[in-house]
Amino acid sequence: MSTYTIGEILVWLVLAGLLGFVLGWLVRELQLRAKRQAQGASPAPEQRPEPEPEPEQEPEPEPEPEPEPEPDPEPESEPEPSIKGKTSSMIYHSPDSPAYARTKADVWFRTPEEAEAAGFRKPKNA
């Protein structure tokens, strides 16, 4: 009978497996290097034929620019809506109001009179 313990046998098996792995990796690496050297030395680079020059084409005449349409005279337009209305408080804020920038508008009005006609009031601090 052998006098080796199970622990010693396992150590030898692990070492043998590791040695087999390293040797397999080395053989594969050497094969790949040999293949690369063989491919680099034997095939000659392919010579591609030069493309024939294309015949020159006659330049196309430039199209005449279309005349720009004359702008229509603008009818008197109403001012852009710039007054914010908040429906939860029924308060409107004009651009000079301190809370104008932070107010998220639910409704927009063109004039304070339009906002008041809709039932909104101006803020107390304005």
Side-chain angles (χ1 to χ4, degrees):
M1 282 283 212
S2 110
T3 59
Y4 294 110
T5 63
I6 293 179
E8 292 172 328
I9 294 171
L10 287 175
V11 168
W12 283 105
L13 286 174
V14 168
L15 288 175
L18 184 62
L19 180 64
F21 176 78
V22 170
L23 288 175
W25 177 79
L26 283 173
V27 168
R28 182 173 184 271
E29 194 66 30
L30 289 173
Q31 288 174 343
L32 288 174
R33 286 185 185 181
K35 185 186 281 187
R36 282 188 210 128
Q37 286 178 351
Q39 286 177 351
S42 63
E46 293 182 21
Q47 300 268 340
R48 293 186 180 176
E50 293 184 19
E52 295 180 19
E54 294 182 16
E56 293 184 20
Q57 297 178 354
E58 295 181 16
E60 296 180 15
E62 294 183 20
E64 294 182 17
E66 295 181 15
E68 294 183 18
E70 295 181 20
D72 294 334
E74 293 185 19
E76 292 185 29
S77 60
E78 296 181 9
E80 289 288 319
S82 62
I83 298 177
K84 298 178 179 181
K86 190 73 177 164
T87 55
S88 60
S89 63
M90 295 301 285
I91 297 174
Y92 69 87
H93 297 274
S94 58
D96 57 344
S97 171
Y100 184 80
R102 66 177 179 261
T103 301
K104 294 186 180 179
D106 297 326
V107 183
W108 289 87
F109 300 104
R110 289 181 172 76
T111 63
E113 293 79 21
E114 190 178 310
E116 289 173 3
F120 287 79
R121 66 173 179 83
K122 67 180 186 177
K124 294 179 179 175
N125 61 355

